[in-house]
């Protein structure tokens, strides 16, 4: 159970870095690609609860504290693949919800058909 705590702590530290040492943090050479190849790698394997934490704690502060002159070089290169990944993830989950709903409706229709057939047999 130490790994989730360590994971959360790392994102809290990154978020704090965005807010406390803003000038130095955003001045790091090639920051966008460094974050993309470390913090935002393999997001498809991150559970929803962890991804929510990353977005709320770190990405929120990254967006809030990123200097305007760094939006093109830091913020946009990070947000584009992140938001694309989130859209794909949400679409996949929505497809599962729709499939489950269709299966539930089909199952309900089968039950109704069986019930009607049994009622017909009993009335004859």
């Amino acid at each position: 159970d130490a790994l989730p705590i360590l994971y959360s702590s790392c994102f809290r530290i990154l978020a704090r870095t965005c807010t406390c040492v803003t000038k130095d943090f955003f001045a790091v050479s090639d920051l966008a690609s460094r974050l993309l190849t470390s913090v935002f790698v393999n997001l498809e394997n991150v559970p929803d609860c962890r991804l929510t934490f990353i977005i709320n704690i770190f990405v929120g502060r990254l967006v809030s504290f990123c200097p305007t002159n760094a939006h093109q070089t830091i913020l946009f290169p990070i947000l584009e693949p992140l938001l694309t990944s989130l859209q794909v993830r949400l679409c996949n989950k929505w497809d599962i919800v729709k499939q489950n709903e269709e299966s539930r409706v089909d199952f309900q229709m089968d039950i109704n058909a069986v019930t009607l057939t049994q009622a017909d047999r009993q009335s004859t």
Side-chain angles (χ1 to χ4, degrees):
D1 289 289
L3 193 57
I5 294 169
L6 178 62
Y7 190 82
S8 299
S9 296
C10 288
F11 282 102
R12 288 186 195 281
I13 290 168
L14 279 171
R16 202 76 167 135
T17 304
C18 287
T19 59
C20 294
V21 287
T22 304
K23 184 178 177 185
D24 293 332
F25 180 74
F26 289 103
V28 169
S29 169
D30 207 20
L31 179 62
S33 67
R34 290 174 188 237
L35 290 173
L36 285 170
T37 57
S38 59
V39 174
F40 298 109
V41 71
N42 293 325
L43 285 181
E44 64 276 359
N45 298 320
V46 175
D48 290 344
C49 62
R50 298 270 178 254
L51 188 57
T52 301
F53 182 82
I54 292 169
I55 292 168
N56 289 339
I57 297 299
F58 177 58
V59 176
R61 294 220 177 108
L62 183 71
V63 169
S64 297
F65 289 92
C66 184
T68 306
N69 64 345
H71 284 185
Q72 291 291 328
T73 57
I74 297 173
L75 200 54
F76 297 159
I78 290 172
L79 289 179
E80 182 187 4
L82 176 63
L83 294 175
T84 301
S85 170
L86 290 175
Q87 181 184 19
V88 168
R89 186 181 189 118
L90 288 171
C91 286
N92 289 340
K93 291 197 181 281
W94 187 247
D95 287 343
I96 292 169
V97 168
K98 289 191 310 189
Q99 288 172 357
N100 288 342
E101 181 63 21
E102 289 169 2
S103 296
R104 189 183 67 76
V105 168
D106 289 344
F107 180 72
Q108 188 63 42
M109 289 173 63
D110 290 344
I111 289 175
N112 290 342
V114 167
T115 304
L116 289 174
T117 303
Q118 289 174 348
D120 288 343
R121 286 184 189 157
Q122 289 175 355
S123 66
T124 55

